[in-house]
Amino acid sequence: MRLQDVSLPRPVTVSTLFNAVNSIELHRKAGAERAFLSANLDDPNARWLADVRVLVADDSEVNRVIAQRILEDQGAQVASCADGLEALEYVRAHHQQLDIVLMDVHMPNLDGNEATRRIRREFGLTALPIAAMTAGALVTERQCSLDAGMNDFVSKPFAPQALIRMVRRLVEAARGRPIAMVSVDGPPDRPPTHSGLPAAIDPVAVQQMFGHDLGFFKLMLFRVLQEYADLGLTISIPAADSTDRMQLTARLHKLAGSAGMIGATQLMKLAASAKRAIDGDASVDAGEESMRQLTIAFNTLRDQAEHSGMGFGRHR
């Protein structure tokens, strides 16, 4: 495609200009990524994933809801499910209407890696983009997902812009054509999200994830405090290799992911640390100390939320 092959209607808008450049770049060796990397994703009037059809598979309701909001705000059509078997059945029934699957790695019933293997092997869907959503930072964990047949991964807590860029890149490559950027009328300005946040919440992380939507942040914070209320109580560490111990470490992993998504950075780190201590060869005392620190941090966040003027009541 040559530049003179593109005709721009007048008046030229930001979206028509971007889409023209994007269409040209997709046919060049460098691809469309060059044009997209220079784009301003903070523009509230731009929809970068217009009509992209996404399945989000994650056992954390908080993670699912946040990912869905980010994607839908960009014009995507989003379905969600809570475990690997549900994801497998949804793909079986709806793969012709899907552009991409975002797959959590650690899920009950069937983990994301095995679900991906079965989608590739049993359904023969080798071209459907599947991306891992993982809280694991180890290179070996990410390589396991790639070996299972995933195309890429995004780390939780993810930056919305990183998620949007990855989805666009994978879907455009699978379609072989650019995704049109759509401009819409933006919402009225709202006050900054960081007003009145609990001290244990990172305002920069919240601003990045939730923008100016303080109401949505409050809802997600409430859900985390409600879902993991038992971790604010003193918990005895179950016996090694017991079902109860595996369930506890699974909940700690899940809490770490959800806490990171709402900007509760210290709680996220303590949940991950407690999981490692209980999972690994640490002494019983070390595991109990990790859980004690986690309990203190959880209760501190809960108390700060109650006294922050954000309208929280006690929800033990």
Side-chain angles (χ1 to χ4, degrees), residues 22-36:
N22 196 35
S23 181
I24 294 169
E25 288 293 323
L26 190 67
H27 292 82
R28 297 178 60 172
K29 186 175 182 180
E33 186 72 0
R34 177 189 300 172
F36 188 51

Side-chain angles (χ1 to χ4, degrees), residues 40-63:
N40 176 22
L41 299 194
D42 291 328
D43 183 351
N45 299 328
R47 299 294 177 267
W48 297 102
L49 301 175
D51 297 322
V52 173
R53 299 154 299 182
V54 186
L55 173 64
V56 176
D58 196 309
D59 65 327
S60 166
E61 181 187 16
V62 169
N63 293 352

Side-chain angles (χ1 to χ4, degrees), residues 178-308:
I179 299 170
M181 187 268 276
V182 175
S183 291
V184 298
D185 292 333
D189 290 339
R190 285 174 284 191
T193 305
H194 57 74
S195 300
L197 290 178
I201 296 293
D202 179 357
V204 175
V206 172
Q207 185 68 35
Q208 182 183 56
M209 188 67 72
F210 298 93
H212 297 292
D213 198 340
L214 180 59
F216 184 45
F217 164 76
K218 288 169 58 178
L219 176 61
M220 293 298 100
L221 174 57
F222 178 82
R223 288 188 179 180
V224 169
L225 293 173
Q226 187 177 53
E227 181 176 354
Y228 300 99
D230 58 303
L231 295 179
L233 306 173
T234 301
I235 295 178
S236 298
I237 298 177
D241 300 323
S242 65
T243 300
D244 287 345
R245 190 169 183 134
M246 288 187 289
Q247 289 175 345
L248 175 58
T249 57
R251 279 181 61 69
L252 291 170
H253 177 84
K254 194 172 170 183
L255 172 60
S258 296
M261 296 288 276
I262 63 169
T265 308
Q266 182 66 9
L267 184 62
M268 174 190 72
K269 293 177 179 178
L270 289 171
S273 177
K275 177 184 181 296
R276 288 194 300 270
I278 297 171
D279 253 348
D281 298 326
S283 67
V284 173
D285 288 345
E288 290 179 347
E289 176 60 19
S290 292
M291 287 301 300
R292 188 186 71 83
Q293 292 181 18
L294 173 66
T295 297
I296 292 172
F298 185 91
N299 289 329
T300 297
L301 175 59
R302 185 205 62 215
D303 292 342
Q304 288 176 358
E306 291 172 0
H307 296 99
S308 64

